Amino acid sequence: MNWKAINFDWNQVRSFLATAEEGSFSAAARVLEQTQPTVGRQVAALELALGITLFERVGKSLNLTTSGAELLLHVREMADVANRISLTATSQSQAVEGQVRITASDVMSTYQLPHMLKQIRLAAPRLEIDIVASNEVRDIHRREADIAIRHIRPTQPDLIAKLVAEATARFYAAPSYLDQVGRPKNEGELVKLDFVGFGDVDTMIGYLNPAGIDVTRKNFRIGSQSGIVSWELVRQGFGVGIMSDEVAALTPDIERVLPEREPFKFPIWLATHSELHTARRIRLVFDQLADQLKTQATSRS
């Protein structure tokens, strides 16, 4: 090993990688939880140590130079190795303390996780729990989360995935809205009402049409990418929405539409990295979440 050839600092490399991936010093500073001048100094120090220019300014933008683009390929490999080192170290930890990052949808994070976390805090009061409320699938490989609660089965080979429950969902609306438009007695009357969209409307239509709900884009005059916002719009009387029975039971001033109709069913998966699963703190949280999610689903069936 030629130790003299390694004349740069990992923190400088980390700042370079974050800047390249985020597109600016300010964006890199946010994800690294540093100041913009600090990131800029780290990148400048790396350029000086390597004797190359990594970025060039074009207006207000930063563009990678040819040298920077070539270096980025190797830096990403370094980051992958660093992540594997972190995973290995975490997997060897047997202390029920430290941080566990859980990612779930914004609706589950708001309405369901808090109750479950109370039980986890009782079991392990020294844990530090960080909730990543996101409707996007977070990357466990890159440590964006330690445990993910998902409604689709993870397919990566080095993840541990467990089907913990099958939940149910139905149509709901505010009583004030139903008082105004009437309570539908069948699916034909249901599709004459307004619907509140969540996420991509075409995806919702593609899910509802095969289930015998012949809605079109005209039914969706309001909606949001946020599940919390969409549910609040339903509660405020803007139209009919689909929600899990568990969340609906926790929401005042909401009424089930077509109460005799068979519910929609969807799976709840827990996922974590295979190495993380051997860490005692992550194993404890994983098992606690699995038990409580199963209990919740069973109690509502």
Side-chain angles (χ1 to χ4, degrees), residues 79-144:
D80 288 339
V81 172
N83 277 328
R84 288 198 293 272
I85 292 171
S86 178
L87 283 169
T88 301
T90 301
S91 69
Q92 301 303 313
S93 173
Q94 294 303 305
V96 188
E97 60 183 353
Q99 187 182 77
V100 178
R101 181 169 291 176
I102 305 167
T103 183
S105 69
D106 57 355
V107 169
M108 178 169 282
S109 297
T110 301
Y111 293 99
Q112 294 174 261
L113 268 183
H115 174 74
M116 291 185 276
L117 294 179
K118 288 182 179 179
Q119 302 300 316
I120 293 172
R121 287 290 298 273
L122 288 174
R126 297 178 66 181
L127 280 179
E128 301 169 14
I129 299 175
D130 181 25
I131 305 302
V132 183
S134 174
N135 296 319
E136 299 178 355
V137 176
R138 294 292 172 167
D139 193 342
I140 294 177
H141 292 87
R142 301 186 66 180
R143 299 304 302 277
E144 293 179 344

Side-chain angles (χ1 to χ4, degrees), residues 248-290:
L250 299 172
T251 307
D253 304 321
I254 206 74
E255 183 177 328
R256 186 178 294 177
V257 180
L258 298 182
E260 302 303 320
R261 189 183 187 278
E262 283 293 310
F264 298 100
K265 295 182 179 180
F266 60 96
I268 300 178
W269 289 88
L270 274 183
T272 188
H273 197 283
S274 57
E275 292 186 52
L276 289 177
H277 198 53
T278 62
R280 190 178 175 192
R281 70 178 186 274
I282 294 175
R283 180 63 182 260
L284 181 145
V285 174
F286 188 97
D287 290 344
Q288 286 264 349
L289 289 173

Side-chain angles (χ1 to χ4, degrees), residues 199-210:
D200 182 70
V201 170
D202 289 332
T203 299
M204 286 193 69
I205 293 173
Y207 182 74
L208 291 172
N209 285 172

